[in-house]
Amino acid sequence: MKALARLWRRLPGTAKAGVIMLGVFLLIAIIGPEVTPYNPSVTTPLQAAAPSGAHLFGTTQTGQDVLSQFLIGVRLTLELAFWVGVIATALSVIIGVTAAYAGGLVDELLSLLTNVFLVIPALPLLIVLLGFLNGTSAGQGQLPVIFVLSLLGWPWGARVIRAQALSIRSRDFIAATRETGERSWRIIGFDVIPNMVSLIAASFVNTVLYAVGASVALAFIGLTDPNQWSLGTMLYWAQLGNALQIGAWWWYVPPGLAVALLGTALVLLNTGIDELSNPRLRDARSATKIASRRVWTTDPTPVFGAPDGHRGLAGLARSFSRKSLIDEAGVGTGNAEKAGELR
Amino acid sequence: MQFLLRRLAFYLVAFWVAITLNFFIPRAMPGSAVDAVLAKFPQLLPPARKALEATLGTGNQGSLWSQYLTYLNHVFHLDFGPSLSNYPAPVTSIVANGVYWTIGLVGVATVIAFIVGTGLGILAGWRAGGRLDRSLPGMMFLQATPYFFLALLLIQVFGITLHVFPVAGAYDGINYTPGWTWPYIANVLDHAFLPALTIVVTSVAGWMLQMRNVMVTTVGEDYVMAAQAKGLSDRRVVFTYAARNALLPQLQGFGLAIGFVISGALVMEIVFSYPGIGYLLLNAAASKDTPLMQAIFLLITVAVLAANLLVDIVLVFVDPRIRAREVAR
């Protein structure tokens, strides 16, 4: 508890804002569906009514309550993103660790597979896949979207995890364990993976971000089951019901804003933690000027031979940031490429 | 050289995986194009299925292997057959029509966003902690905003409430005929304004953030301090010393973004009914137009792979460290 409090104090203001926003969304997702004032699918004669006491967020063109749809939408969207995060990260771990541990031809093949799936553009492939699934009996509910998004969401993490597993594998304590005659699965399960928990958590958070963006976009263009009230589906129905033409801003602004805020919360958290771990980014805030020249409050000269300094909670928190993925994998600016393709 | 050859081999493998996926996905998925047509016209009698299969060339055509070979042969001759949703127009001509709308719109918008974002990033990184730098959380919000949500807001404000800009299509086909005439070009620009604005506003922040972060790190380097100590002008220090070195990762990102121009802002094109590649792909997916989907997916993949290769080549020339690593190997 004390460590948590200390970490909280050290967090930059932006990251605190991110944590709080994320907390609010989680709260809505947990209690929202329990407190919906109406059934979100029931149509009433009260069509496209502006927000009022009875309908806090107004109603849709067919008289459905927007607030009820919104509360369920946050839940479904977060739920989907969570499961995609879990499945895709599990795939990354299995593939990354297997490649690193098996080595040789298996490693070559799995690495090739990972890199190939990294360069093949994901969103068009998602559209093609869901285009076939949509409208068939296999395309109902959230499961097909979770399945397809997970199938395409693992390579980024797998690459990073493989790099880390390779480095852990070559350390002395693993060699020692092997000498004592431990079986491979035990070494992997009890020595390799526990040493990567922070990295695995990091790729989980990144996958969640990807899943929110992609699932909302896919739902908006009508490629998912339109009877599920996710945030994307709300936008889809708003577009279909000419919410713009009839000026029903209360219909599409809440879901759109929610997605934007959710994304902002995750990005804020990410960059805030980057700042926590990268002294230069942090000092930028406190740099002072003397005679119109920049003067650094701390000397940025690196200290050689010092441990990496990210221990305990701070180390875990740092690992949630996107920067750590880039650091540990030694890959270039994946940021832009990942963001670019989901648009 | 060896580095580039290895990369080339890798992209060839990636290309092969993409075309193979393209071949197997339609065959593994439930629901065929013929089913889609039959569902659209319930009055068709059962014999129509045979006729449709023959016309569309989807029926039983021998073993999977021979189908695969035929498919590969067609891909290499850029022959994707007729589009099913726009029968009998050939897929290639439909795609060719869409491609230049996308390149024109998304390409120009990407370049503008890159230049503006990088410029702002240089300023924010140089004056870290300054007014511009403190606007970053707002920029992050813009970056996290989905393209299409901003598009909806812009349509609402400028298109429907103020009636300043048209909200759909690439040009007014009723009052204008395409050609190199001024009124037509003005009309096209008018239609492109809101979509382009959407792309620029949502992607500027990404470029700015990345440039700013690299810039902050570069500004802290000793050689920048040395340049300042020599008494060089601020402008000289910023552009020739700091920004020049901070630009490398930015260039890499730009190359990849250019590759994604073709796939475009898929969702944004759909909101504005802009007749580019994204709009075509979604319509093809909605009507299960397999040949069109296959052609577009391949085109996008090829563009992305080519851009990746281009970035690799440029980096070898621009960044001496990569060359050094090459020699060391």
Side-chain angles (χ1 to χ4, degrees):
Chain A
M1 221 43 228
K2 223 175 164 184
L4 264 179
R6 203 170 60 234
L7 178 69
W8 178 254
R9 264 202 310 282
R10 283 186 57 207
L11 273 184
T14 49
K16 280 181 191 158
V19 173
I20 293 171
M21 281 157 72
L22 211 58
V24 172
F25 276 109
L26 283 176
L27 211 62
I28 296 178
I30 292 167
I31 60 171
E34 307 300 324
V35 296
T36 50
Y38 302 89
N39 179 339
S41 307
V42 165
T43 56
T44 64
L46 191 66
Q47 288 169 359
S52 63
H55 296 274
L56 285 176
F57 281 14
T59 62
T60 71
Q61 201 194 19
T62 49
Q64 296 157 328
D65 183 50
V66 176
L67 179 62
S68 306
Q69 294 184 354
F70 178 80
L71 290 174
I72 293 180
V74 171
R75 162 70 159 270
L76 285 186
T77 302
L78 278 182
E79 203 171 59
L80 179 141
F82 174 78
W83 284 115
V84 172
V86 169
I87 299 172
T89 312
L91 280 174
S92 317
V93 173
I94 294 171
I95 291 172
V97 171
T98 310
Y101 205 83
L105 188 66
V106 177
D107 183 21
E108 290 283 332
L109 287 178
L110 286 179
S111 300
L112 183 69
L113 187 73
T114 310
N115 288 329
V116 163
F117 272 94
L118 264 181
V119 289
I120 291 180
L123 189 59
L125 192 56
L126 284 170
I127 292 181
V128 170
L129 280 170
L130 286 174
F132 279 107
L133 280 176
N134 195 30
T136 66
S137 58
Q140 277 162 11
Q142 297 225 90
L143 275 179
V145 187
I146 294 180
F147 175 73
V148 172
L149 282 179
S150 309
L151 207 63
L152 292 178
W154 60 269
W156 180 249
R159 181 160 154 173
V160 185
I161 287 168
R162 171 182 167 271
Q164 177 79 350
L166 266 183
S167 120
I168 292 177
R169 182 177 174 247
S170 62
R171 287 184 201 162
D172 287 345
F173 73 94
I174 298 285
T177 327
R178 205 177 293 140
E179 286 306 308
T180 61
E182 285 287 18
R183 298 197 185 147
S184 295
W185 68 264
R186 244 195 100 86
I187 299 179
I188 291 176
F190 290 89
D191 294 312
V192 178
I193 290 182
N195 273 296
M196 296 196 302
V197 168
S198 58
L199 189 64
I200 293 169
S203 79
F204 172 76
V205 168
N206 279 298
T207 315
V208 168
L209 194 60
Y210 142 84
V212 170
S215 71
V216 170
L218 290 170
F220 172 70
I221 56 183
L223 284 177
T224 64
D225 186 349
N227 300 319
Q228 297 271 328
W229 290 114
S230 71
L231 294 177
T233 340
M234 282 180 76
L235 289 165
Y236 166 73
W237 284 112
Q239 160 101 341
L240 210 67
N242 290 326
L244 290 171
Q245 281 75 12
I246 58 177
W249 54 267
W250 56 86
W251 189 357
Y252 63 85
V253 167
L257 210 57
V259 175
L261 288 175
L262 190 58
T264 315
L266 290 167
V267 178
L268 278 179
L269 192 65
N270 250 341
T271 44
I273 294 163
D274 270 349
E275 243 168 69
L276 197 68
S277 60
N278 185 343
R280 284 190 181 167
L281 292 180
R282 185 173 65 230
D283 291 340
R285 302 240 174 249
S286 53
T288 49
K289 275 198 263 175
I290 298 176
S292 86
R293 291 270 179 246
R294 308 173 46 78
V295 175
W296 297 86
T297 45
T298 51
D299 186 3
T301 312
V303 180
F304 292 103
D308 64 355
H310 305 294
R311 304 228 165 266
L313 266 179
L316 182 67
R318 172 183 183 276
S319 62
F320 277 87
S321 69
R322 189 177 280 149
K323 180 75 172 36
S324 71
L325 287 181
I326 295 165
D327 280 357
E328 299 192 31
V331 279
T333 52
N335 198 343
E337 100 190 67
K338 198 82 185 163
E341 92 184 44
L342 289 177
R343 291 267 138 102
Chain B
M1 206 54 227
Q2 210 196 342
F3 167 75
L4 288 182
L5 282 179
R6 276 221 320 276
R7 296 306 291 166
L8 188 65
F10 165 70
Y11 291 125
L12 283 177
V13 173
F15 178 67
W16 172 75
V17 171
I19 53 179
T20 307
L21 274 181
N22 218 352
F23 171 79
F24 280 107
I25 289 172
R27 282 164 179 77
M29 288 292 174
S32 70
V34 175
D35 291 331
V37 175
L38 286 177
K40 219 186 273 177
F41 303 102
Q43 71 273 28
L44 286 179
L45 296 170
R49 170 178 285 272
K50 273 232 155 68
L52 273 171
E53 279 175 353
T55 331
L56 304 176
T58 54
N60 191 11
Q61 300 166 313
S63 71
L64 205 59
W65 178 244
S66 71
Q67 283 181 47
Y68 183 56
L69 290 183
T70 323
Y71 161 79
L72 283 186
N73 188 27
H74 283 175
V75 167
F76 283 109
H77 292 96
L78 293 180
D79 170 17
F80 294 95
S83 157
L84 305 186
S85 50
N86 302 292
Y87 197 79
V91 164
T92 30
S93 75
I94 296 178
V95 172
N97 274 333
V99 128
Y100 64 96
W101 286 116
T102 297
I103 293 183
L105 174 69
V106 188
V108 171
T110 304
V111 172
I112 294 177
F114 174 75
I115 294 174
V116 174
T118 307
L120 287 176
I122 291 177
L123 291 180
W126 177 246
R127 300 234 176 273
R131 199 178 301 161
L132 186 60
D133 200 31
R134 282 200 302 268
S135 74
L136 273 176
M139 286 291 185
M140 282 170 203
F141 176 71
L142 285 183
Q143 191 193 8
T145 309
Y147 263 32
F148 56 86
F149 179 56
L150 184 73
L152 290 178
L153 291 181
L154 287 177
I155 290 180
Q156 176 81 72
V157 174
F158 291 103
I160 292 169
T161 313
L162 298 176
H163 287 290
V164 197
F165 289 105
V167 295
Y171 63 91
D172 181 351
I174 297 167
N175 298 321
Y176 300 88
T177 42
W180 289 108
T181 58
W182 177 241
Y184 170 71
I185 293 173
N187 189 256
V188 167
L189 290 179
D190 212 23
H191 277 82
F193 184 79
L194 284 186
L197 186 68
T198 314
I199 301 177
V200 171
V201 168
T202 46
S203 54
V204 147
W207 296 118
M208 178 174 166
L209 203 67
Q210 191 185 335
M211 187 66 194
R212 180 253 177 205
N213 280 354
V214 185
M215 188 74 186
V216 164
T217 320
T218 320
V219 165
E221 296 286 346
D222 289 345
Y223 66 84
V224 176
M225 189 80 84
Q228 283 185 319
K230 278 197 287 187
L232 295 178
S233 70
D234 264 1
R235 184 186 297 170
R236 184 102 191 262
V237 177
V238 172
F239 290 104
T240 18
Y241 283 73
R244 198 173 155 179
N245 282 303
L247 211 56
L248 271 181
Q250 197 78 349
L251 276 183
Q252 192 174 9
F254 180 64
L256 297 175
I258 287 296
F260 279 108
V261 161
I262 300 271
S263 75
L266 289 169
V267 183
M268 189 277 310
E269 279 184 6
I270 291 154
V271 177
F272 285 101
S273 315
Y274 206 81
I277 289 293
Y279 190 59
L280 281 178
L281 178 59
L282 182 72
N283 284 341
S287 54
K288 296 200 192 323
D289 185 345
T290 318
L292 192 54
M293 264 195 273
Q294 287 188 327
I296 293 175
F297 177 65
L298 274 190
L299 177 73
I300 293 174
T301 311
V302 168
V304 171
L305 294 182
N308 270 286
L309 184 62
L310 201 69
V311 168
D312 286 343
I313 294 173
V314 169
L315 281 185
V316 166
F317 282 104
V318 180
D319 190 347
R321 282 169 298 185
I322 293 182
R323 260 174 286 156
R325 216 180 299 153
E326 190 62 16
V327 173
R329 206 192 313 249

